[in-house]
């Protein structure tokens, strides 16, 4: 019995000591201090050492595999860059050759300055002020006018392709008649576009003078027999006639049909421009139109 009492007193004593130590520790932890106590410092240093011991090698290993992956990606990028560099060098050489040849032709043929500058264009950005989509009156108004050097029949293009021509000019605004208004039977229609196919210049020729309102397609007529024009060709303006600058993207050939008497063909052209939701367009300035 006495031993049991002593045992109980010892348990009570240990519990009391533990409680006091806990209260003291809480006091250290919760009280305002400028530095950590030595047990906290010891525990933190020990934890940090262990973390460093295990995490640093793990980081090295993870970084090693990541570097291997990056090296693979870098090799692929270098490969693509070498291909692009080779293509650029080839295209640059071809461009320099053609440019030098054209300059020599200009000298040989005694081109005037106006002729030399004929295909040097400037693009002036214009904001679309309003759009009219009434039947028979597909036009829009831009915020450039005569004060900005705008003239009648200047070409207007979007980032996708040719849109139309300037049909009316005031001091501060201009009206653009869209290609969707082209009609061979309308004497007030915008001028027809002499056109060719990209990479087939000198081989392909036709005249775009109508827009089919039902199908939403342009009609390129007067294509001679044996012309190599084909489906998926990109059609551009040829520059013949002086109204439309050379090289303006117009659209893509969807189909080529033989004419009624078999003497000419007609190409069905899907316009490159969408003719909707425009906020900004570009007016094409050519040298001969700049005073």
């Amino acid at each position: 019995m006495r031993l049991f009492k002593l045992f109980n007193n010892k348990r009570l004593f240990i519990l009391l000591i533990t409680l006091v130590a806990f209260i003291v520790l809480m006091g250290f932890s919760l009280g305002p201090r400028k530095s950590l106590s030595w047990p906290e410092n010891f525990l933190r240093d020990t934890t940090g050492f262990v973390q460093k011991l295990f995490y640093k090698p793990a980081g090295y290993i993870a970084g090693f595999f990541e570097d291997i992956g990056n090296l693979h990606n870098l090799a692929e990028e270098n490969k693509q860059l070498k291909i692009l560099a080779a293509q650029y060098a080839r295209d640059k050489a071809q461009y320099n050759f053609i440019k030098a040849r054209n300059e020599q032709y200009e000298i040989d043929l005694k081109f005037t300055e106006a002729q030399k500058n004929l295909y040097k264009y400037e693009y002036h950005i214009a904001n679309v002020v309003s759009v009219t989509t009434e039947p028979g009156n597909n036009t829009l108004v831009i915020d450039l006018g005569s004060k900005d050097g705008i003239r009648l029949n200047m070409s207007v293009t979007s980032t996708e392709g040719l849109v139309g021509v300037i049909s009316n000019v005031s001091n501060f605004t201009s009206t653009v008649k869209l290609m969707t208004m082209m009609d061979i039977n309308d004497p007030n229609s915008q001028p027809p576009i002499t056109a060719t196919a990209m990479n087939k210049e000198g081989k392909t020729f036709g005249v775009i003078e109508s827009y089919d309102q039902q199908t939403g397609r342009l009609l390129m007529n007067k294509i001679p027999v044996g012309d190599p024009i084909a489906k998926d060709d990109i059609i551009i303006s040829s520059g013949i006639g002086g109204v439309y600058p050379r090289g303006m993207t117009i659209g893509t050939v969807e189909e080529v049909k033989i004419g009624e008497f078999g003497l000419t063909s007609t190409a069905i052209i899907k316009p490159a421009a969408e003719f909707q939701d425009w906020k900004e367009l570009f007016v094409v300035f050519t040298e001969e139109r700049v005073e």
Side-chain angles (χ1 to χ4, degrees), residues 105-118:
Y105 285 160
E106 290 174 358
I107 294 171
D108 294 343
L109 297 174
K110 299 179 180 179
F111 271 29
T112 64
E113 286 302 313
Q115 288 174 315
K116 290 179 182 179
N117 294 322
L118 185 60

Side-chain angles (χ1 to χ4, degrees), residues 47-88:
T47 304
F49 176 77
V50 173
Q51 288 177 335
K52 184 178 180 180
L53 192 65
F54 286 98
Y55 289 173
K56 199 167 184 178
Y60 284 143
I61 295 172
F64 174 74
F65 287 108
E66 185 177 353
D67 289 342
I68 292 176
N70 289 337
L71 285 173
H72 177 73
N73 293 335
L74 187 61
E76 287 296 322
E77 290 177 4
N78 285 338
K79 182 179 177 181
Q80 293 300 321
L81 286 173
K82 287 179 181 178
I83 294 173
L84 290 175
Q87 291 175 345
Y88 173 79

Side-chain angles (χ1 to χ4, degrees), residues 134-193:
E134 298 174 0
N137 186 28
N138 287 343
T139 59
L140 54 85
V141 177
I142 58 175
D143 64 350
L144 296 182
S146 58
K147 69 177 182 61
D148 304 296
I150 302 296
R151 301 271 193 260
L152 289 176
N153 289 330
M154 278 186 165
S155 297
V156 179
T157 182
S158 67
T159 55
E160 291 83 18
L162 194 63
V163 169
V165 296
I166 301 293
S167 61
N168 197 297
V169 182
S170 64
N171 287 333
F172 301 101
T173 61
S174 300
T175 301
V176 180
K177 182 179 286 188
L178 304 180
M179 284 199 300
T180 55
M181 291 289 294
M182 296 189 77
D183 186 350
I184 191 173
N185 299 315
D186 183 1
N188 297 317
S189 177
Q190 66 190 81
I193 309 171

Side-chain angles (χ1 to χ4, degrees), residues 187-203:
N188 297 317
S189 177
Q190 66 190 81
I193 309 171
T194 55
T196 184
M198 187 178 292
N199 299 322
K200 294 180 181 178
E201 296 89 340
K203 300 177 182 178

